[in-house]
Amino acid sequence: MTYQLGIDTGGTYTDAVIVNTEKQVIAKCKSLTTPFDLTEGIEQALDGLTGINLQDIGLVALSTTLSTNSVVEGRGSPIGVILAGYKDQQVKQSGLTEILEEKMISIIDGGHGATGEELVPLDEVKLENLIQGYQGKVSAFAVSSIFSIRNPDHERKIREKIFSISGKPVACGHELSSSLGAPRRALTTAMNARMLLYIQELIDSVENILLKKLIRAPLMIVKGDGSLVNAQIARKYPVSTVLSGPAASVIGACALSGKKDAIVVDMGGTTTDICVVSNGRPDLCHEGAKIGDWYPMVEAIRVISIGLGGDSELRFKVGLDISERRIVPISLLVYQYPQVLEKLYVQYRAGPTPRNNKFALQLQMNRILIDNLDPVEKDVWELLSQGPIELDHLAITDRIRLRALARLERLGLVVFSGFTPSDATHVLGLSQHWNREAAIIGAKIWARQMRHLYGFGNWADDDADSPCRQIFDTVTHKISQKLIEAGLHQLEKLSEVQTAKLTNILANILLNPQSKQSGKPLFELRFSQNHSVIAVGGPAKDYFPDVSKHLGVNLELPEHGEVANAVGAALGAVVQTSKINVTQPEFGVFYLFHKGQPLRFSNLQEAVNIAEKMAKEEAENLAIAAGAMEIETRIEHDANHIKHDIDGELFVSTMITATATGHPKLIQADFTTGLD
């Protein structure tokens, strides 16, 4: 028998499952993710799969939330951004300056027009100087040129120059999106470049372990739309793996529950992801899904991804606030480093400070960032290799090192610990997998911080349960509110601002106790009974019974739901698309834009026929390259017309999309002969 192995690497846990040919889970294992060396956590997950011969695996499929988490948390590798033909206003509009230092964003002369003609020659002298200036400071480059989707010549020239001078990897805008909108394309390209190192390290880790375990099956990666591509493509376009984890969880949740109409909610350590599934298919965002506060041009499932997970930082901000930043739960920190427990008791016996519960740990090994640290920062980095550093201790003994540590955290090299929703569920007895004693003392320390430093809360001095119950209620309320928002987004009739306002109104009606209303309500609000909530992910069993009760929705917690992402990865299909745009910039003249130079026609149908043929051929070739077999292709048209007072309805443009779908190739290795 040939099995399929699904692996999901998340911010907190790495999951592995084995699925047989009847799509049944026959083995599963969860292991803590080891971000400093991903190999260790992945190998532990595979070692926990018992009862089968790993050499009988015919396909390995990998999903991850690492790229989604990096977007939500605003983290990534250092990059240089080169924009050809952009204006300052377009850079401001893109949001690049919110995720990068301005000195890492450069504009040079260049760019093309709407029909692919060169507007301004590329400034190659300035380009060379920029690349030389970025040497040793970046791990990758992002390149975007005006109207590169109509003519990518300048982006290609810039990439060639970067390769010849620095040898660094380059993300090009025209390879990531075929849609107009230069600012969003620049942001998408930058995000892709920031993730290159993360995804390459993840794929390297998996491939090394497969080699070690003598698993010779092909490695596929889940994209944000739920489809699979081979590892080579994912290395080049890691931004396509944004929402990989949520997409895999949707596939896995539907397979495990058997439901075709559902609201799938995946709650992990860093994010909670919500997706509506109708008739067995999740909605897709063809123009880009929302991830945190961003809208990169990535075709993905229509998901609301919020920075709320079991490991989210709990802090004071007007009131109790749940930050989008992932930290290490106190209960997990002591589970991994038992010596920290005594330090927590010392903190509790002393007076409260803003740094209580905070310890620093190494998070990732990024050689570019480390090489650019100053001497004090490098010294602190070396100290961290010996174990967690207590921030309270540094505040008393060495403020210079404390400031250096804060910068290491901002760079993403270091992660802090703190009190989290996961700790609260340990205190309340809902979770048992880490150190409950640490969670209890951490809760008392956190509650005292809230009372004495911020004037929030009126819990008794030695009370751990009451603040944790309030945290629990805050989390369930926020999840419930986001489920309401997801329902409004499905209507596609409201703007972002309108949706937010109406969500607040509906949440007040649905979530506030009926006893606060005078008399009987004149109307009632409820979710459709046709859509159950399928809750998956590690913390789901803790929070969603209360969410279901608040909203009056049916709840399903499917068996194996805690590893739904890995199940979905194992069950994915290969899907590749090709999009070609045909426009009429002037009456009777039609342009077909594909791979650089436009083709000009005087007959619309001829242009469309050629576009269909080219798109079909490209989509099928991409599917084969991505590892598909038994390919089926469908063609879709999205035409745009305008009404003219004299000439009637006029054709403006049409997007021809070819979608090729196939099954991933399964390989049964023969280890007796050494041949596949």
Side-chain angles (χ1 to χ4, degrees):
M1 179 176 287
T2 300
Y3 299 107
Q4 292 169 230
L5 168 62
I7 303 171
D8 177 76
T9 301
T12 305
Y13 278 104
T14 293
D15 304 334
V17 300
I18 298 290
V19 178
N20 63 17
T21 52
E22 278 135 30
K23 300 183 179 180
Q24 297 171 322
V25 176
I26 61 170
K28 64 182 178 181
C29 182
K30 292 180 76 72
S31 175
L32 284 168
T33 296
T34 50
F36 196 73
D37 180 6
L38 292 169
T39 306
E40 184 181 340
I42 296 168
E43 185 168 14
Q44 288 173 0
L46 264 61
D47 286 342
L49 299 173
T50 58
I52 65 127
N53 185 349
L54 292 181
Q55 282 75 56
D56 289 336
I57 292 170
L59 174 73
V60 180
L62 171 68
S63 69
T64 180
T65 58
L66 296 181
S67 43
T68 308
N69 296 348
S70 72
V71 174
V72 172
E73 296 180 275
R75 299 186 186 275
S77 298
I79 63 167
V81 179
I82 298 176
L83 307 173
Y86 275 70
K87 307 297 183 186
D88 289 338
Q89 181 59 33
Q90 290 174 304
V91 175
K92 183 178 179 181
Q93 184 183 350
S94 71
L96 282 170
T97 54
E98 296 178 44
I99 64 172
L100 298 169
E101 296 180 83
E102 288 191 32
K103 65 181 180 181
M104 307 308 292
I105 306 167
S106 301
I107 299 175
I108 63 173
D109 287 343
H112 292 78
T115 55
E117 75 283 4
E118 184 180 74
L119 294 181
V120 180
L122 188 65
D123 188 343
E124 300 198 35
V125 174
K126 184 176 181 179
L127 174 62
E128 288 191 18
N129 291 333
L130 285 173
I131 298 169
Q132 295 286 1
Y134 284 135
Q135 284 284 63
K137 299 178 182 178
V138 302
S139 60
F141 286 84
V143 174
S144 185
S145 175
I146 292 295
F147 278 113
S148 62
I149 63 167
R150 300 290 168 83
N151 190 336
D153 182 57
H154 284 181
E155 287 189 3
R156 289 171 176 163
K157 286 181 177 178
I158 295 171
R159 177 171 57 190
E160 289 169 5
K161 187 67 69 175
I162 291 172
F163 278 154
S164 66
I165 295 175
S166 74
K168 301 285 186 183
V170 182
C172 288
H174 76 276
E175 295 180 329
L176 299 171
S177 175
S178 58
S179 300
L180 292 172
R184 281 185 66 202
R185 192 164 61 252
L187 177 68
T188 304
T189 310
M191 287 182 172
N192 192 78
R194 293 182 88 195
M195 297 172 197
L196 282 168
L197 190 62
Y198 285 179
I199 297 302
Q200 287 176 359
E201 287 180 350
L202 174 61
I203 292 173
D204 285 345
S205 297
V206 175
E207 288 182 337
N208 288 337
I209 292 167
L210 297 181
L211 185 63
K212 181 178 179 180
K213 302 288 185 185
L214 301 180
I215 301 172
R216 301 179 65 185
L219 174 62
M220 308 291 283
I221 316 296
V222 181
K223 296 197 303 177
D225 60 3
S227 65
L228 299 175
V229 294
N230 60 32
Q232 290 78 10
I233 293 175
R235 284 180 187 276
K236 191 174 182 181
Y237 308 123
V239 76
S240 68
T241 67
V242 168
L243 297 179
S244 164
S249 75
V250 170
I251 297 170
C254 291
L256 292 171
S257 68
K259 295 287 185 182
K260 292 187 176 293
D261 298 297
I263 308 167
V264 175
V265 189
D266 179 14
M267 187 175 185
T270 310
T271 62
T272 294
D273 308 304
I274 304 168
C275 179
V276 178
V277 178
S278 299
N279 297 319
R281 297 182 64 179
D283 292 338
L284 290 181
C285 288
H286 298 288
E287 296 303 319
K290 181 182 180 184
I291 304 138
D293 296 326
W294 307 104
Y295 286 90
M297 283 179 165
V298 180
E299 186 169 286
I301 61 171
R302 189 184 301 277
V303 65
I304 296 177
S305 185
I306 58 173
L308 168 62
D311 303 345
S312 296
E313 181 182 29
L314 295 166
R315 64 185 183 183
F316 177 82
K317 188 178 179 182
V318 181
L320 175 58
D321 182 54
I322 304 172
S323 168
E324 292 186 339
R325 183 170 70 162
R326 178 188 175 272
I327 58 177
V328 177
I330 281 293
S331 53
L332 173 57
L333 180 71
V334 174
Y335 174 80
Q336 294 179 305
Y337 301 94
Q339 70 272 21
V340 170
L341 184 60
E342 180 54 38
K343 295 180 180 180
L344 290 174
Y345 278 107
V346 172
Q347 288 185 9
Y348 186 59
R349 289 191 291 267
T353 78
R355 297 167 299 278
N356 285 165
N357 280 332
K358 290 191 180 297
F359 294 77
L361 299 92
Q362 288 183 335
L363 179 62
Q364 62 160 323
M365 171 64 76
N366 187 309
R367 183 47 57 190
I368 294 291
L369 289 174
I370 294 169
D371 288 344
N372 282 279
L373 297 177
D374 67 32
V376 177
E377 291 162 353
K378 286 183 178 178
D379 179 52
V380 174
W381 176 256
E382 292 300 324
L383 282 176
L384 284 165
S385 65
Q386 301 172 25
I389 293 179
E390 183 181 12
L391 269 64
D392 260 345
H393 177 71
L394 273 190
I396 297 170
T397 61
D398 197 330
R399 302 286 294 189
I400 294 175
R401 282 182 172 176
L402 182 64
R403 286 193 291 272
L405 189 59
R407 182 165 185 268
L408 293 178
E409 194 272 340
R410 289 195 299 273
L411 289 172
L413 290 171
V414 163
V415 62
F416 291 159
S417 67
F419 197 72
T420 69
S422 290
D423 294 311
T425 56
H426 276 76
V427 172
L428 297 173
L430 299 171
S431 302
Q432 297 88 28
H433 39 283
W434 298 329
N435 190 300
R436 185 167 184 262
E437 183 182 357
I440 292 172
I441 189 64
K444 293 178 181 180
I445 292 171
W446 179 84
R448 190 175 59 181
Q449 281 180 315
M450 293 297 106
R451 288 196 313 271
H452 294 289
L453 299 182
Y454 309 113
F456 176 78
N458 55 3
W459 316 291
D461 281 348
D462 207 36
D463 183 5
D465 283 7
S466 297
C468 289
R469 174 54 60 181
Q470 187 166 346
I471 291 167
F472 182 89
D473 292 341
T474 300
V475 172
T476 56
H477 188 282
K478 191 166 184 179
I479 294 172
S480 300
Q481 192 164 353
K482 285 299 176 181
L483 282 170
I484 295 170
E485 183 181 327
L488 294 177
H489 276 299
Q490 190 194 28
L491 299 174
E492 296 186 337
K493 296 183 181 296
L494 302 172
S495 68
E496 193 78 19
V497 174
Q498 289 172 325
T499 298
K501 288 181 178 179
L502 186 52
T503 296
N504 288 332
I505 294 171
L506 295 178
N508 284 332
I509 295 172
L510 281 168
L511 303 178
N512 283 347
Q514 292 293 322
S515 59
K516 292 184 178 180
Q517 299 181 6
S518 57
K520 295 181 179 180
L522 296 178
F523 60 91
E524 295 180 351
L525 297 172
R526 62 182 176 86
F527 271 77
S528 167
Q529 297 304 297
N530 295 324
H531 285 69
S532 298
V533 169
I534 304 175
V536 296
K541 69 182 189 316
D542 299 332
Y543 290 101
F544 280 87
D546 270 43
V547 171
S548 171
K549 186 167 59 177
H550 289 327
L551 296 178
V553 293
N554 297 323
L555 173 67
E556 294 211 16
L557 296 167
E559 185 182 9
H560 311 303
E562 76 281 6
V563 292
N565 295 40
V567 173
L571 299 179
V574 177
V575 181
Q576 289 288 299
T577 62
S578 172
K579 296 185 177 183
I580 298 179
N581 196 25
V582 175
T583 68
Q584 182 178 214
E586 56 184 284
F587 190 75
V589 177
F590 305 95
Y591 280 92
L592 183 160
F593 296 100
H594 185 58
K595 291 189 178 298
Q597 299 300 323
L599 301 178
R600 179 174 171 146
F601 299 86
S602 58
N603 181 279
L604 174 60
Q605 193 57 52
E606 181 184 1
V608 169
N609 290 343
I610 291 177
E612 287 182 350
K613 181 180 178 182
M614 293 170 68
K616 182 176 185 293
E617 181 179 353
E618 181 177 54
E620 291 176 350
N621 287 338
L622 288 171
I624 293 170
M629 62 181 190
E630 300 176 10
I631 297 169
E632 296 181 359
T633 307
R634 71 174 188 274
I635 304 290
E636 296 176 325
H637 294 239
D638 184 11
N640 180 23
H641 295 78
I642 61 171
K643 289 186 178 180
H644 192 273
D645 292 341
I646 298 175
D647 298 323
E649 191 169 290
L650 294 177
F651 168 83
V652 177
S653 65
T654 187
M655 181 69 77
I656 290 94
T657 302
T659 304
T661 305
H663 300 294
K665 295 176 182 177
L666 299 181
I667 296 179
Q668 178 67 58
D670 182 352
F671 287 92
T672 59
T673 63
L675 300 175
D676 285 348

